[in-house]
Coordinates of all heavy atoms in Angstrom, one line a residue:
M1 N -39.4 12.0 14.1 CA -38.8 13.3 13.8 C -37.9 13.1 12.5 O -37.1 12.2 12.5 CB -37.9 13.7 15.0 CG -37.4 15.1 14.9 SD -36.5 15.5 16.4 CE -34.9 15.6 15.7
P2 N -38.0 13.9 11.6 CA -37.2 13.8 10.4 C -35.8 14.2 10.7 O -35.5 14.9 11.7 CB -37.8 14.7 9.4 CG -38.6 15.7 10.2 CD -38.9 15.1 11.5
G3 N -34.9 13.8 9.8 CA -33.4 14.2 10.0 C -32.6 13.0 10.1 O -32.9 11.9 9.7
E4 N -31.5 13.2 10.8 CA -30.5 12.1 10.9 C -31.0 11.0 11.7 O -31.5 11.2 12.9 CB -29.2 12.7 11.7 CG -28.4 13.6 10.8 CD -27.5 12.8 9.9 OE1 -26.6 12.1 10.4 OE2 -27.6 13.0 8.7
P5 N -31.0 9.8 11.2 CA -31.4 8.6 12.0 C -30.3 8.4 13.0 O -29.1 8.6 12.8 CB -31.4 7.5 11.0 CG -30.7 7.9 9.8 CD -30.6 9.4 9.8
S6 N -30.7 7.9 14.2 CA -29.7 7.7 15.3 C -29.4 6.2 15.3 O -30.3 5.4 15.6 CB -30.2 8.2 16.6 OG -31.4 7.6 16.9
Y7 N -28.2 5.9 15.1 CA -27.8 4.5 15.1 C -27.1 4.2 16.5 O -26.5 5.0 17.1 CB -26.8 4.2 14.0 CG -27.3 4.5 12.6 CD1 -26.8 5.4 11.8 CD2 -28.4 3.7 12.1 CE1 -27.3 5.7 10.5 CE2 -28.9 4.0 10.9 CZ -28.4 5.0 10.1 OH -28.9 5.2 8.8
T8 N -27.3 2.9 16.9 CA -26.7 2.5 18.2 C -25.4 1.6 18.0 O -24.8 1.3 18.9 CB -27.7 1.8 19.0 OG1 -28.1 0.6 18.4 CG2 -28.9 2.6 19.3
F9 N -25.1 1.3 16.7 CA -23.9 0.5 16.5 C -22.6 1.4 16.4 O -22.8 2.6 16.1 CB -24.0 -0.4 15.3 CG -24.2 0.4 14.0 CD1 -23.2 1.0 13.3 CD2 -25.5 0.6 13.5 CE1 -23.4 1.7 12.1 CE2 -25.8 1.3 12.4 CZ -24.7 1.9 11.7
R10 N -21.5 0.9 16.8 CA -20.2 1.7 16.7 C -19.7 1.6 15.3 O -19.7 0.5 14.7 CB -19.2 1.1 17.6 CG -19.4 1.4 19.1 CD -18.6 0.5 20.0 NE -19.1 -0.9 20.0 CZ -18.5 -1.9 20.5 NH1 -17.4 -1.7 21.2 NH2 -19.0 -3.1 20.5
S11 N -19.3 2.7 14.7 CA -18.7 2.7 13.4 C -17.5 3.7 13.4 O -17.5 4.6 14.2 CB -19.7 3.0 12.3 OG -20.2 4.3 12.4
K12 N -16.7 3.5 12.4 CA -15.5 4.4 12.3 C -15.3 4.8 10.9 O -15.3 4.0 10.0 CB -14.3 3.7 12.9 CG -13.0 4.6 12.9 CD -11.9 3.9 13.6 CE -10.7 4.8 13.7 NZ -9.5 4.2 14.3
F13 N -15.0 6.1 10.7 CA -14.6 6.6 9.4 C -13.3 6.0 8.9 O -12.3 6.0 9.7 CB -14.5 8.2 9.5 CG -14.2 8.8 8.2 CD1 -15.0 8.6 7.0 CD2 -13.0 9.6 8.1 CE1 -14.6 9.3 5.8 CE2 -12.7 10.2 6.9 CZ -13.5 10.1 5.8
V14 N -13.3 5.5 7.7 CA -12.0 4.8 7.3 C -11.1 5.6 6.4 O -10.1 5.2 6.0 CB -12.4 3.5 6.6 CG1 -13.1 2.5 7.5 CG2 -13.1 3.7 5.3
D15 N -11.6 6.9 6.1 CA -10.8 7.8 5.2 C -10.4 7.1 3.9 O -9.2 6.9 3.6 CB -9.6 8.3 6.0 CG -8.9 9.4 5.3 OD1 -9.6 10.1 4.4 OD2 -7.8 9.7 5.6
P16 N -11.4 6.7 3.1 CA -11.1 5.9 1.9 C -10.4 6.7 0.8 O -10.5 7.9 0.8 CB -12.5 5.4 1.5 CG -13.4 6.4 2.0 CD -12.8 6.9 3.3
D17 N -9.8 6.0 -0.1 CA -9.1 6.6 -1.2 C -9.6 5.9 -2.5 O -9.3 4.8 -2.7 CB -7.6 6.4 -1.1 CG -6.9 7.1 -2.3 OD1 -7.6 7.6 -3.2 OD2 -5.6 7.2 -2.2
F18 N -10.5 6.6 -3.2 CA -11.2 5.9 -4.3 C -10.4 6.2 -5.6 O -11.0 6.0 -6.7 CB -12.6 6.4 -4.4 CG -13.5 5.9 -3.3 CD1 -14.3 6.8 -2.6 CD2 -13.5 4.6 -2.8 CE1 -15.1 6.4 -1.6 CE2 -14.2 4.2 -1.8 CZ -15.0 5.1 -1.1
R19 N -9.2 6.8 -5.5 CA -8.5 7.1 -6.8 C -7.9 5.9 -7.5 O -7.7 6.0 -8.7 CB -7.4 8.1 -6.5 CG -7.9 9.5 -6.1 CD -6.8 10.4 -5.6 NE -6.2 9.8 -4.4 CZ -5.2 10.4 -3.7 NH1 -4.7 11.5 -4.2 NH2 -4.7 9.8 -2.6
N20 N -7.6 4.9 -6.8 CA -7.1 3.7 -7.4 C -8.2 3.0 -8.2 O -9.4 3.0 -7.9 CB -6.6 2.7 -6.4 CG -5.1 2.9 -6.1 OD1 -4.3 3.0 -7.0 ND2 -4.8 3.1 -4.9
D21 N -7.7 2.3 -9.2 CA -8.7 1.5 -10.1 C -8.3 0.1 -10.0 O -7.3 -0.4 -10.5 CB -8.5 2.0 -11.5 CG -9.7 1.5 -12.4 OD1 -10.7 1.1 -11.8 OD2 -9.6 1.6 -13.6
P22 N -9.1 -0.7 -9.2 CA -8.7 -2.1 -9.0 C -8.6 -2.9 -10.3 O -9.5 -2.7 -11.1 CB -9.8 -2.6 -8.0 CG -10.5 -1.5 -7.5 CD -10.3 -0.4 -8.5
K23 N -7.6 -3.8 -10.4 CA -7.5 -4.6 -11.6 C -8.2 -5.9 -11.4 O -8.5 -6.6 -12.4 CB -6.0 -4.8 -11.9 CG -5.2 -3.5 -12.0 CD -5.4 -2.8 -13.3 CE -4.5 -1.6 -13.4 NZ -4.8 -0.6 -12.4
T24 N -8.4 -6.3 -10.2 CA -9.1 -7.6 -10.0 C -10.3 -7.4 -9.1 O -10.6 -6.3 -8.7 CB -8.1 -8.6 -9.2 OG1 -8.0 -8.1 -7.9 CG2 -6.8 -8.7 -9.9
K25 N -11.0 -8.5 -8.9 CA -12.3 -8.4 -8.1 C -12.0 -8.4 -6.6 O -12.9 -8.1 -5.8 CB -13.2 -9.6 -8.4 CG -13.9 -9.5 -9.8 CD -14.8 -10.6 -10.0 CE -15.4 -10.6 -11.4 NZ -16.0 -11.9 -11.7
V26 N -10.8 -8.7 -6.2 CA -10.5 -8.8 -4.8 C -9.6 -7.6 -4.5 O -8.4 -7.6 -4.8 CB -9.8 -10.1 -4.4 CG1 -9.5 -10.1 -2.9 CG2 -10.7 -11.3 -4.8
F27 N -10.1 -6.6 -3.8 CA -9.3 -5.4 -3.5 C -9.8 -4.8 -2.2 O -10.9 -5.1 -1.7 CB -9.5 -4.4 -4.6 CG -10.9 -3.9 -4.9 CD1 -11.5 -2.9 -4.3 CD2 -11.6 -4.6 -5.9 CE1 -12.8 -2.5 -4.6 CE2 -12.9 -4.2 -6.2 CZ -13.5 -3.2 -5.5
C28 N -8.9 -4.1 -1.6 CA -9.2 -3.4 -0.3 C -10.2 -2.3 -0.5 O -10.1 -1.5 -1.3 CB -7.9 -2.8 0.2 SG -8.1 -1.8 1.7
F29 N -11.3 -2.4 0.3 CA -12.4 -1.4 0.1 C -12.0 0.0 0.6 O -12.6 1.0 0.3 CB -13.7 -1.9 0.7 CG -13.9 -1.6 2.2 CD1 -14.4 -0.4 2.6 CD2 -13.6 -2.6 3.1 CE1 -14.6 -0.1 4.0 CE2 -13.8 -2.3 4.5 CZ -14.3 -1.1 4.9
V30 N -10.9 0.1 1.3 CA -10.4 1.4 1.8 C -9.5 2.1 0.8 O -9.8 3.3 0.5 CB -9.7 1.2 3.2 CG1 -9.2 2.6 3.7 CG2 -10.6 0.6 4.2
C31 N -8.5 1.4 0.3 CA -7.6 2.1 -0.6 C -7.7 1.6 -2.0 O -7.0 2.1 -2.9 CB -6.1 1.9 -0.1 SG -5.6 0.2 -0.2
Q32 N -8.6 0.6 -2.3 CA -8.9 0.2 -3.6 C -7.7 -0.5 -4.3 O -7.7 -0.7 -5.5 CB -9.3 1.3 -4.6 CG -10.4 2.2 -4.0 CD -11.8 1.6 -4.0 OE1 -12.3 1.3 -5.1 NE2 -12.4 1.4 -2.9
K33 N -6.7 -0.9 -3.5 CA -5.6 -1.7 -4.1 C -6.0 -3.2 -4.1 O -6.6 -3.7 -3.2 CB -4.3 -1.5 -3.2 CG -3.7 -0.1 -3.5 CD -2.5 0.1 -2.6 CE -2.0 1.5 -2.8 NZ -1.1 1.9 -1.6
D34 N -5.5 -3.8 -5.2 CA -5.8 -5.2 -5.3 C -5.1 -6.0 -4.2 O -4.0 -5.7 -3.8 CB -5.2 -5.7 -6.7 CG -6.0 -5.1 -7.8 OD1 -7.2 -5.5 -8.0 OD2 -5.5 -4.3 -8.5
I35 N -5.8 -7.0 -3.7 CA -5.2 -7.9 -2.7 C -4.8 -9.2 -3.4 O -5.7 -10.0 -3.9 CB -6.2 -8.2 -1.6 CG1 -6.5 -6.9 -0.8 CG2 -5.6 -9.2 -0.6 CD1 -7.6 -7.1 0.2
R36 N -3.5 -9.4 -3.6 CA -3.0 -10.5 -4.4 C -2.7 -11.8 -3.6 O -2.5 -12.8 -4.1 CB -1.8 -10.1 -5.2 CG -2.2 -9.0 -6.2 CD -1.0 -8.5 -7.0 NE -1.3 -7.3 -7.8 CZ -2.1 -7.3 -8.9 NH1 -2.6 -8.4 -9.3 NH2 -2.3 -6.1 -9.5
T37 N -2.7 -11.6 -2.3 CA -2.4 -12.8 -1.4 C -3.8 -13.2 -0.9 O -4.8 -12.7 -1.3 CB -1.5 -12.4 -0.3 OG1 -2.1 -11.2 0.4 CG2 -0.1 -12.0 -0.8
A38 N -3.8 -14.1 0.1 CA -5.0 -14.4 0.8 C -5.5 -13.2 1.5 O -4.8 -12.4 2.0 CB -4.8 -15.5 1.8
V39 N -6.9 -13.0 1.5 CA -7.4 -11.8 2.1 C -7.1 -11.8 3.6 O -7.5 -12.8 4.3 CB -8.9 -11.8 1.9 CG1 -9.6 -10.6 2.7 CG2 -9.2 -11.6 0.4
P40 N -6.4 -10.8 4.1 CA -6.0 -10.8 5.5 C -7.2 -10.5 6.5 O -7.3 -11.1 7.6 CB -4.9 -9.8 5.6 CG -5.1 -8.8 4.5 CD -5.9 -9.6 3.4
F41 N -8.0 -9.5 6.1 CA -9.1 -9.1 7.0 C -10.3 -8.8 6.2 O -10.3 -8.5 5.0 CB -8.7 -7.8 7.8 CG -7.5 -8.1 8.7 CD1 -6.2 -7.7 8.3 CD2 -7.7 -8.6 9.9 CE1 -5.1 -7.9 9.1 CE2 -6.6 -8.9 10.8 CZ -5.3 -8.5 10.4
M42 N -11.5 -8.8 6.9 CA -12.7 -8.3 6.4 C -13.3 -7.2 7.2 O -13.2 -7.3 8.5 CB -13.7 -9.5 6.3 CG -13.3 -10.7 5.5 SD -13.2 -10.5 3.7 CE -15.0 -10.6 3.3
G43 N -13.9 -6.2 6.6 CA -14.6 -5.2 7.4 C -16.0 -5.0 6.9 O -16.3 -5.2 5.7
H44 N -16.9 -4.7 7.9 CA -18.3 -4.5 7.6 C -18.5 -3.1 7.1 O -18.6 -2.2 8.0 CB -19.2 -4.8 8.8 CG -20.6 -4.8 8.5 ND1 -21.5 -5.7 9.2 CD2 -21.4 -4.1 7.7 CE1 -22.8 -5.4 8.7 NE2 -22.7 -4.5 7.8
A45 N -18.5 -2.9 5.8 CA -18.6 -1.5 5.3 C -20.0 -1.0 5.2 O -20.9 -1.7 4.9 CB -18.0 -1.5 3.8
V46 N -20.1 0.3 5.5 CA -21.5 0.9 5.5 C -21.3 2.3 4.9 O -20.2 2.9 4.8 CB -22.1 1.0 6.9 CG1 -22.4 -0.3 7.4 CG2 -21.2 1.8 7.9
F47 N -22.5 2.9 4.5 CA -22.5 4.3 3.9 C -21.6 4.5 2.8 O -20.7 5.4 2.7 CB -22.2 5.3 5.0 CG -23.1 5.1 6.3 CD1 -22.5 5.0 7.5 CD2 -24.4 5.1 6.2 CE1 -23.2 4.8 8.6 CE2 -25.2 5.0 7.3 CZ -24.6 4.8 8.5
G48 N -21.7 3.6 1.8 CA -20.8 3.7 0.6 C -19.4 3.5 0.9 O -18.5 4.1 0.2
C49 N -19.1 2.6 1.8 CA -17.7 2.2 2.2 C -16.9 3.3 2.8 O -15.7 3.3 2.7 CB -17.0 1.6 0.9 SG -17.7 0.2 0.2
I50 N -17.5 4.3 3.4 CA -16.7 5.3 4.1 C -16.6 5.0 5.6 O -15.8 5.6 6.3 CB -17.3 6.7 3.9 CG1 -18.6 6.9 4.5 CG2 -17.3 7.1 2.4 CD1 -19.0 8.3 4.7
E51 N -17.4 4.1 6.1 CA -17.2 3.7 7.5 C -17.2 2.2 7.7 O -17.8 1.5 6.8 CB -18.4 4.3 8.3 CG -18.4 5.8 8.4 CD -19.4 6.3 9.4 OE1 -19.9 5.6 10.2 OE2 -19.7 7.5 9.3
V52 N -16.7 1.7 8.8 CA -16.6 0.3 9.1 C -17.3 0.1 10.4 O -17.2 0.9 11.3 CB -15.2 -0.2 9.1 CG1 -14.4 0.4 10.2 CG2 -15.2 -1.8 9.2
V53 N -18.1 -0.9 10.5 CA -18.9 -1.2 11.7 C -18.0 -2.1 12.6 O -17.3 -3.0 12.1 CB -20.2 -2.0 11.4 CG1 -20.9 -2.4 12.6 CG2 -21.1 -1.1 10.5
H54 N -18.1 -1.9 13.9 CA -17.4 -2.7 14.9 C -17.9 -4.2 14.8 O -19.1 -4.4 14.7 CB -17.5 -2.2 16.3 CG -16.6 -2.8 17.2 ND1 -16.7 -4.1 17.8 CD2 -15.4 -2.4 17.7 CE1 -15.7 -4.4 18.6 NE2 -14.9 -3.3 18.5
P55 N -17.0 -5.2 14.7 CA -17.4 -6.6 14.6 C -18.5 -7.0 15.5 O -19.4 -7.8 15.2 CB -16.1 -7.4 14.7 CG -15.1 -6.4 14.4 CD -15.5 -5.0 14.7
E56 N -18.5 -6.5 16.8 CA -19.5 -6.9 17.8 C -20.8 -6.3 17.5 O -21.8 -6.7 18.1 CB -19.0 -6.5 19.2 CG -17.8 -7.3 19.7 CD -17.2 -6.8 20.9 OE1 -17.8 -5.8 21.5 OE2 -16.1 -7.3 21.3
D57 N -20.9 -5.3 16.7 CA -22.1 -4.6 16.5 C -22.7 -4.8 15.1 O -23.6 -4.2 14.6 CB -21.9 -3.1 16.6 CG -21.6 -2.7 18.0 OD1 -21.7 -3.5 18.9 OD2 -21.2 -1.5 18.2
R58 N -22.2 -5.9 14.4 CA -22.7 -6.1 13.0 C -24.1 -6.5 13.0 O -24.8 -6.0 12.1 CB -21.8 -7.3 12.4 CG -20.4 -6.9 12.2 CD -19.7 -7.9 11.4 NE -20.4 -8.1 10.1 CZ -20.6 -9.3 9.5 NH1 -20.1 -10.4 10.1 NH2 -21.2 -9.4 8.4
A59 N -24.6 -7.2 13.9 CA -26.1 -7.6 13.9 C -26.9 -6.3 14.1 O -28.0 -6.2 13.6 CB -26.3 -8.6 15.0
V60 N -26.5 -5.4 15.0 CA -27.2 -4.2 15.2 C -27.3 -3.4 13.9 O -28.3 -2.8 13.5 CB -26.5 -3.4 16.3 CG1 -27.3 -2.1 16.6 CG2 -26.4 -4.2 17.6
A61 N -26.1 -3.3 13.2 CA -26.1 -2.5 12.0 C -27.0 -3.1 11.0 O -27.7 -2.4 10.3 CB -24.7 -2.5 11.4
D62 N -27.0 -4.5 10.9 CA -27.9 -5.1 10.0 C -29.4 -4.8 10.3 O -30.2 -4.7 9.4 CB -27.8 -6.7 10.0 CG -26.5 -7.1 9.3 OD1 -26.0 -6.3 8.5 OD2 -26.0 -8.2 9.6
R63 N -29.7 -4.6 11.5 CA -31.1 -4.3 12.0 C -31.5 -2.9 11.7 O -32.6 -2.6 11.3 CB -31.2 -4.6 13.5 CG -32.6 -5.0 13.9 CD -32.6 -5.8 15.2 NE -31.8 -5.1 16.3 CZ -30.8 -5.6 17.0 NH1 -30.5 -6.9 16.8 NH2 -30.2 -5.0 17.9
E64 N -30.5 -2.0 11.9 CA -30.9 -0.6 11.9 C -30.7 0.1 10.5 O -31.3 1.1 10.2 CB -30.0 0.2 12.9 CG -30.3 -0.2 14.3 CD -29.5 0.6 15.4 OE1 -28.6 1.3 14.9 OE2 -29.7 0.4 16.6
L65 N -29.8 -0.4 9.7 CA -29.4 0.3 8.5 C -30.4 -0.1 7.3 O -30.9 -1.2 7.2 CB -28.0 -0.1 8.0 CG -26.9 0.6 8.8 CD1 -25.6 -0.1 8.4 CD2 -26.8 2.0 8.5
A66 N -30.7 0.9 6.5 CA -31.4 0.6 5.2 C -30.4 -0.2 4.4 O -29.2 0.0 4.4 CB -31.7 1.9 4.6
P67 N -31.0 -1.1 3.6 CA -30.1 -2.0 2.7 C -29.1 -1.2 1.9 O -28.0 -1.6 1.7 CB -31.1 -2.7 1.9 CG -32.4 -2.8 2.7 CD -32.4 -1.5 3.5
A68 N -29.6 0.0 1.4 CA -28.7 0.8 0.5 C -27.4 1.3 1.3 O -26.4 1.5 0.7 CB -29.4 1.9 -0.1
D69 N -27.6 1.4 2.6 CA -26.5 1.9 3.4 C -25.6 0.8 3.9 O -24.5 1.0 4.4 CB -27.0 2.7 4.6 CG -27.6 4.1 4.2 OD1 -27.1 4.6 3.2 OD2 -28.5 4.5 4.8
N70 N -26.1 -0.4 3.9 CA -25.5 -1.5 4.5 C -24.7 -2.4 3.5 O -25.3 -3.3 2.9 CB -26.5 -2.4 5.3 CG -25.9 -3.4 6.2 OD1 -24.7 -3.5 6.4 ND2 -26.7 -4.3 6.7
V71 N -23.5 -2.0 3.3 CA -22.7 -2.7 2.2 C -22.4 -4.1 2.5 O -22.5 -5.0 1.7 CB -21.4 -1.9 1.9 CG1 -20.7 -2.5 0.7 CG2 -21.8 -0.4 1.5
G72 N -21.9 -4.3 3.8 CA -21.6 -5.7 4.2 C -20.1 -5.9 4.3 O -19.3 -5.0 4.1
L73 N -19.8 -7.2 4.4 CA -18.3 -7.6 4.6 C -17.6 -7.5 3.3 O -18.0 -8.0 2.3 CB -18.2 -9.0 5.1 CG -18.3 -9.3 6.6 CD1 -18.0 -10.7 6.9 CD2 -17.4 -8.4 7.4
L74 N -16.4 -6.7 3.4 CA -15.6 -6.6 2.2 C -14.1 -6.8 2.7 O -13.8 -6.6 3.8 CB -15.7 -5.2 1.7 CG -17.1 -4.9 1.0 CD1 -17.1 -3.4 0.5 CD2 -17.3 -5.8 -0.2
P75 N -13.3 -7.2 1.7 CA -11.9 -7.4 2.0 C -11.2 -6.1 2.4 O -11.5 -5.1 1.8 CB -11.3 -8.0 0.7 CG -12.5 -8.5 -0.1 CD -13.6 -7.6 0.3
V76 N -10.2 -6.2 3.3 CA -9.4 -5.1 3.6 C -7.9 -5.5 3.7 O -7.6 -6.6 4.2 CB -9.8 -4.5 5.0 CG1 -8.9 -3.3 5.4 CG2 -11.2 -4.1 5.1
G77 N -7.1 -4.7 3.1 CA -5.6 -5.0 3.2 C -5.1 -4.8 4.6 O -5.6 -4.1 5.4
R78 N -3.9 -5.4 4.8 CA -3.3 -5.4 6.1 C -2.9 -4.0 6.5 O -3.1 -3.6 7.7 CB -2.0 -6.3 6.1 CG -1.4 -6.6 7.4 CD -0.3 -7.6 7.2 NE -0.7 -8.9 6.6 CZ -1.4 -9.9 7.3 NH1 -1.6 -9.7 8.6 NH2 -1.8 -11.0 6.7
D79 N -2.4 -3.2 5.6 CA -1.9 -1.8 5.9 C -3.1 -1.0 6.4 O -3.0 -0.3 7.4 CB -1.2 -1.2 4.8 CG 0.1 -1.8 4.5 OD1 0.6 -2.6 5.3 OD2 0.7 -1.6 3.4
C80 N -4.2 -1.1 5.7 CA -5.4 -0.2 6.0 C -6.0 -0.7 7.3 O -6.4 0.1 8.1 CB -6.4 -0.3 4.9 SG -5.9 0.6 3.4
A81 N -6.0 -2.0 7.5 CA -6.6 -2.6 8.8 C -5.8 -2.1 10.0 O -6.3 -1.7 11.0 CB -6.6 -4.1 8.7
K82 N -4.4 -2.1 9.8 CA -3.6 -1.6 10.9 C -3.7 -0.1 11.1 O -3.8 0.3 12.3 CB -2.1 -1.9 10.5 CG -1.6 -3.3 10.8 CD -0.1 -3.4 10.6 CE 0.3 -4.8 10.8 NZ 1.7 -5.1 10.2
R83 N -3.9 0.6 10.1 CA -4.0 2.1 10.2 C -5.3 2.4 11.0 O -5.4 3.3 11.9 CB -4.0 2.8 8.9 CG -4.3 4.3 8.9 CD -4.1 4.9 7.5 NE -5.1 4.4 6.5 CZ -6.3 4.8 6.5 NH1 -6.8 5.7 7.3 NH2 -7.1 4.3 5.5
I84 N -6.4 1.7 10.6 CA -7.7 2.0 11.2 C -7.8 1.4 12.6 O -8.5 2.0 13.5 CB -8.8 1.5 10.2 CG1 -8.7 2.3 8.9 CG2 -10.2 1.6 10.9 CD1 -9.4 1.6 7.8
G85 N -7.2 0.2 12.7 CA -7.3 -0.5 14.0 C -7.8 -1.9 13.8 O -8.9 -2.1 13.4
L86 N -7.0 -2.9 14.2 CA -7.4 -4.3 13.9 C -8.7 -4.7 14.6 O -9.3 -5.6 14.2 CB -6.2 -5.2 14.3 CG -4.9 -5.1 13.5 CD1 -3.9 -6.1 14.0 CD2 -5.2 -5.2 12.0
E87 N -9.0 -4.0 15.7 CA -10.2 -4.4 16.4 C -11.5 -4.1 15.6 O -12.6 -4.6 15.9 CB -10.3 -3.6 17.8 CG -10.6 -2.1 17.7 CD -9.3 -1.3 17.5 OE1 -8.2 -1.9 17.1 OE2 -9.3 -0.1 17.8
W88 N -11.4 -3.4 14.5 CA -12.5 -3.1 13.7 C -12.7 -4.1 12.6 O -13.7 -4.0 11.7 CB -12.4 -1.7 13.0 CG -12.5 -0.6 14.0 CD1 -11.5 0.0 14.8 CD2 -13.7 0.0 14.5 NE1 -12.0 0.9 15.6 CE2 -13.3 1.0 15.5 CE3 -15.0 -0.1 14.2 CZ2 -14.3 1.7 16.2 CZ3 -16.0 0.6 14.8 CH2 -15.6 1.6 15.8
F89 N -11.9 -5.1 12.5 CA -12.0 -6.1 11.4 C -12.0 -7.5 11.9 O -11.6 -7.8 13.1 CB -10.8 -5.9 10.5 CG -10.7 -4.5 9.9 CD1 -10.0 -3.5 10.5 CD2 -11.5 -4.1 8.9 CE1 -10.0 -2.2 10.0 CE2 -11.6 -2.8 8.4 CZ -10.8 -1.9 8.9
V90 N -12.4 -8.4 11.1 CA -12.5 -9.8 11.4 C -11.6 -10.6 10.4 O -11.3 -10.1 9.3 CB -13.9 -10.4 11.4 CG1 -14.7 -9.7 12.5 CG2 -14.6 -10.2 10.0
R91 N -11.3 -11.8 10.8 CA -10.6 -12.7 9.8 C -11.6 -13.2 8.9 O -12.8 -13.5 9.2 CB -10.0 -13.9 10.6 CG -8.8 -13.4 11.5 CD -7.6 -13.1 10.6 NE -6.5 -12.7 11.4 CZ -5.3 -12.5 10.9 NH1 -5.1 -12.6 9.6 NH2 -4.2 -12.1 11.6
P92 N -11.2 -13.4 7.6 CA -12.2 -14.0 6.6 C -12.6 -15.4 7.1 O -11.8 -16.1 7.6 CB -11.5 -14.0 5.3 CG -10.1 -13.5 5.6 CD -9.9 -13.2 7.0
E93 N -13.9 -15.7 6.9 CA -14.4 -17.0 7.3 C -14.1 -18.0 6.2 O -14.3 -17.7 5.0 CB -15.9 -16.9 7.5 CG -16.3 -16.3 8.7 CD -17.8 -16.3 9.0 OE1 -18.5 -17.3 8.5 OE2 -18.4 -15.4 9.6
K94 N -13.5 -19.1 6.6 CA -13.1 -20.1 5.6 C -14.3 -20.9 5.2 O -14.4 -21.3 4.0 CB -12.0 -21.0 6.2 CG -10.7 -20.3 6.5 CD -9.9 -20.1 5.2 CE -8.5 -19.5 5.5 NZ -8.6 -18.0 5.5
E95 N -15.2 -21.1 6.1 CA -16.3 -22.0 5.8 C -17.6 -21.2 5.6 O -18.4 -21.0 6.5 CB -16.6 -23.1 6.8 CG -17.0 -22.7 8.2 CD -15.9 -22.2 9.1 OE1 -15.0 -21.4 8.6 OE2 -15.9 -22.5 10.3
E96 N -17.7 -20.5 4.5 CA -18.9 -19.6 4.2 C -20.1 -20.4 3.8 O -21.2 -19.9 3.9 CB -18.5 -18.6 3.2 CG -18.3 -17.2 3.8 CD -17.8 -16.2 2.8 OE1 -17.9 -16.5 1.6 OE2 -17.5 -15.1 3.2
A97 N -19.9 -21.6 3.4 CA -21.0 -22.4 2.8 C -21.7 -23.2 3.9 O -22.1 -24.4 3.7 CB -20.5 -23.3 1.7
K98 N -21.9 -22.6 5.0 CA -22.6 -23.3 6.1 C -24.1 -23.2 5.9 O -24.6 -22.1 5.7 CB -22.2 -22.7 7.4 CG -21.4 -23.7 8.3 CD -21.2 -23.1 9.7 CE -19.9 -23.7 10.3 NZ -19.5 -22.9 11.5
Ligands
ZN101 ZN1 -6.2 -0.8 1.7

């Protein structure tokens, strides 16, 4: 049936603000502000960074989403993570080169 695909992963609208212009490569994907300290949280961004996938459902999202919709893990600032809810984010992995 054509129309909206039905996804089974949990996601949440992050109410992004794209008016900021990041000065560095490391910035919060929600408010676009540069993160000048160690990255506090990572969120699995989807649909052009307007929603975040629940950490427990990341594998489901990877399976169900078209690559163009599946942005992947991006840095998130502490304030935005708190506003949206810390349960939607993960700590950055220190050992990514596994
Ligand atoms: Zn932010």
Side-chain angles (χ1 to χ4, degrees):
M1 192 179 109
E4 288 279 299
S6 57
Y7 301 117
T8 62
F9 58 85
R10 287 163 289 173
S11 64
K12 184 172 182 181
F13 179 60
V14 299
D15 194 16
D17 184 350
F18 296 131
R19 290 170 297 179
N20 268 308
D21 195 12
K23 307 283 186 293
T24 69
K25 285 183 185 164
V26 182
F27 56 89
C28 172
F29 84 86
V30 178
C31 66
Q32 311 284 301
K33 286 181 185 158
D34 294 289
I35 297 174
R36 298 183 189 282
T37 56
V39 173
F41 296 99
M42 303 287 284
H44 187 147
V46 294
F47 307 124
C49 299
I50 65 163
E51 291 188 17
V52 65
V53 174
H54 195 279
E56 290 170 6
D57 294 350
R58 291 190 56 219
V60 182
D62 283 341
R63 208 160 51 232
E64 295 181 354
L65 284 169
D69 289 328
N70 192 7
V71 182
L73 273 188
L74 289 176
V76 179
R78 195 173 299 279
D79 291 347
C80 287
K82 276 187 184 162
R83 175 175 61 79
I84 295 159
L86 294 183
E87 69 272 22
W88 291 91
F89 301 96
V90 294
R91 293 287 184 175
E93 284 184 34
K94 294 279 184 275
E95 68 279 41
E96 255 176 8
K98 249 189 207 168

